[in-house]
């Protein structure tokens, strides 16, 4: 169950008087967690917006490249991290990225190209509340507001920026791409986005859930993602009454999802079947599909700057067909998307994509 502290309305917390993007406090990042090649790494606590549309705190890290910033400041990449977990102890600014051996060299390659990196933990991950997993609008605010906070912290950051993300973070980056200009306002110069392994149409897969559905055991990573979505939904939308249709097993793993980081959670879910989580179909909950679509459906129109998407043909974390279907819809709607498929799995496509994404982002800043 959601704890009383987490379930309390936003108005019960002390009022945040600072403005969106203001920096509340700073601390140096543990040296063991620095991106390779960074000249400095500072963790900011900053003001952003939560799932309830209220001011909230998030943490995030600013990595600066070595050398003297060019005139106007270092161009900025707002990095949207992949699945880490929902518990405060899972925040990347505390423990590093969940897949450090993959992510840190990747981010180091961007630093080596002369970009500053700002990296939100997302609201509620290491700060009051619960982070809302795959909540597109909220993470878009967090990603944009991290750019504002980084610029408030350092004059060496340019107003020109892009967002880049992988997996959960790819969903955040592409959702951000739709709203970056609106959320950033005239003080920021948004140029475009990159998302690899973008989860799309996941709401359609979640909506079929119920007793015995799906009837087979899925990879534990997918089961973890579903549990994170469930825990986040019952926090963000208690009116759904999700607990009313969870079995004791479902409640057990929804509770564990609130605190357990992804690697440990996947181990605990080995052999667990999602269909055993429910006593009734999810679509029987009041306006479930409408709430779920509003919470996590990816935007299909309204993109004002170019963005890149890549996906692995062998990806079992974010299946290729769902992302390909989303790209087809974007293309049919005339959106400025570039798409590449890679003969690789989830992580392999992320690594291989750099051959395409580094020049793509370079062109965005020309």
């Amino acid at each position: 169950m959601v704890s009383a502290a987490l379930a309390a309305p936003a108005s019960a917390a002390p009022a945040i008087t600072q403005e969106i993007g203001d920096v509340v406090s700073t601390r140096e990042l543990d040296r063991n967690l620095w991106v390779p090649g960074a000249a400095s790494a500072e963790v900011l606590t900053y003001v952003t917006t939560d799932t309830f549309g209220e001011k909230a705190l998030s943490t995030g890290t600013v990595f600066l490249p070595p050398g003297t910033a060019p005139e106007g400041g270092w161009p900025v990449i707002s990095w949207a991290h992949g699945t880490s977990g929902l518990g405060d102890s899972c925040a990347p600014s505390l423990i590093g990225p969940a897949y450090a051996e993959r992510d840190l060299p990747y981010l180091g390659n961007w630093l080596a190209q002369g970009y500053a990196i700002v990296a939100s933990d997302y609201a509620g991950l290491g700060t009051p509340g619960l982070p809302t997993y795959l909540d597109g609008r909220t993470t878009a605010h967090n990603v944009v507001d991290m750019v504002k906070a980084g610029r408030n912290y350092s004059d060496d950051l340019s107003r020109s920026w892009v967002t880049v993300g992988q997996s959960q973070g790819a969903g955040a980056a592409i959702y951000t791409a739709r709203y970056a200009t609106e959320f950033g306002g005239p003080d920021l110069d948004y140029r475009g986005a990159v998302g690899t392994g973008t989860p799309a149409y996941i709401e359609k897969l979640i909506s079929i859930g119920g007793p015995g559905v799906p009837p087979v055991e899925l990879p534990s990573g997918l089961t973890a993602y579903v549990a994170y979505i469930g825990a986040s939904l019952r926090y963000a939308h208690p009116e759904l009454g999700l607990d009313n249709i969870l079995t004791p097993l479902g409640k057990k793993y929804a509770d564990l999802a609130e605190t357990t980081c992804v690697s440990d959670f996947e181990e605990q879910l080995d052999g667990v079947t999602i269909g055993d989580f429910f006593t009734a179909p999810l679509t029987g909950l009041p306006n479930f599909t409408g709430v779920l679509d509003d919470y996590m459906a990816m935007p299909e129109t309204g993109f004002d700057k170019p963005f890149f998407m890549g996906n692995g043909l062998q990806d079992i974390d974010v299946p290729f067909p769902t992302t390909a279907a989303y790209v087809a819809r974007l293309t049919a709607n005339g959106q400025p998307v570039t798409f590449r498929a890679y003969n690789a799995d989830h992580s392999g496509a992320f690594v291989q994509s750099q051959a395409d994404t580094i020049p793509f982002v370079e062109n965005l800043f020309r």
Side-chain angles (χ1 to χ4, degrees):
M1 299 290 290
V2 178
S3 69
L6 289 180
S11 59
I16 297 174
T17 58
Q18 297 94 333
E19 297 302 315
I20 297 295
D22 281 355
V23 177
V24 176
S25 64
T26 67
R27 64 174 173 84
E28 187 176 11
L29 182 70
D30 184 328
R31 290 290 303 223
N32 294 321
L33 306 180
W34 283 35
V35 170
S40 65
E42 195 79 6
V43 179
L44 315 181
T45 298
Y46 68 99
V47 181
T48 184
T49 301
D50 66 13
T51 192
F52 306 108
E54 302 289 341
K55 286 183 181 179
L57 298 179
S58 180
T59 46
T61 308
V62 177
F63 298 97
L64 295 182
T68 302
E71 184 178 356
W74 301 109
V76 177
I77 287 176
S78 192
W79 165 248
H81 69 79
T83 304
S84 180
L86 306 184
D88 286 343
S89 64
C90 310
S93 67
L94 292 176
I95 63 170
Y99 304 98
E101 292 182 358
R102 179 196 70 185
D103 291 359
L104 290 179
Y106 175 89
L107 294 173
N109 286 340
W110 289 112
L111 277 180
Q113 303 298 315
Y115 301 102
I117 297 172
V118 298
S120 176
D121 289 332
Y122 310 143
L125 189 53
T127 48
L130 193 73
T132 44
Y133 186 68
L134 297 185
D135 173 0
R137 179 171 288 269
T138 300
T139 49
H141 278 295
N142 302 161
V143 168
V144 174
D145 297 339
M146 184 65 208
V147 181
K148 297 178 182 179
R151 283 175 45 79
N152 284 330
Y153 163 72
S154 173
D155 292 334
D156 286 339
L157 269 62
S158 168
R159 60 186 293 269
S160 299
W161 69 286
V162 301
T163 180
V164 175
Q166 157 73 359
S167 194
Q168 176 198 1
I174 302 306
Y175 204 104
T176 298
R178 167 60 180 81
Y179 292 98
T181 299
E182 175 186 339
F183 290 175
D187 292 338
L188 297 182
D189 173 25
Y190 165 69
R191 297 295 184 93
V194 169
T196 50
T198 306
Y201 298 146
I202 305 303
E203 70 280 1
K204 300 185 185 304
L205 303 178
I206 295 293
S207 290
I208 68 173
V213 180
V216 296
E217 178 188 338
L218 298 178
S220 59
L222 294 180
T223 306
Y225 303 157
V226 172
Y228 285 143
I229 292 169
S232 298
L233 270 178
R234 68 179 188 175
Y235 171 67
H237 293 282
E239 75 280 4
L240 287 174
L242 185 59
D243 272 336
N244 295 332
I245 65 165
L246 290 180
T247 64
L249 185 74
K251 290 180 180 178
K252 171 187 173 180
Y253 286 109
D255 291 345
L256 285 172
E258 293 182 4
T259 58
T260 310
C261 300
V262 63
S263 296
D264 291 340
F265 200 33
E266 289 182 8
E267 290 183 8
Q268 295 182 44
L269 287 165
D270 187 34
V272 175
T273 302
I274 294 170
D276 294 336
F277 286 2
F278 308 109
T279 64
L282 285 165
T283 51
L285 296 173
N287 192 32
F288 180 78
T289 55
V291 170
L292 191 64
D293 285 351
D294 183 66
Y295 175 87
M296 67 184 301
M298 295 293 290
E300 297 177 342
T301 60
F303 293 86
D304 62 346
K305 297 293 173 62
F307 60 103
F308 179 100
M309 293 177 59
N311 214 92
L313 294 168
Q314 302 170 36
D315 194 332
I316 61 172
D317 291 87
V318 177
F320 181 84
T322 59
T323 304
Y326 177 53
V327 172
R329 179 62 60 85
L330 290 168
T331 302
N333 290 344
Q335 303 305 291
V337 61
T338 297
F339 181 61
R340 296 287 183 271
Y342 301 94
N343 188 23
D345 62 10
H346 195 54
S347 292
F350 174 58
V351 174
Q352 290 182 24
S353 71
Q354 294 171 95
D356 297 314
T357 58
I358 288 175
F360 180 86
V361 169
E362 183 180 0
N363 284 334
L364 295 178
F365 283 104
R366 285 179 176 167

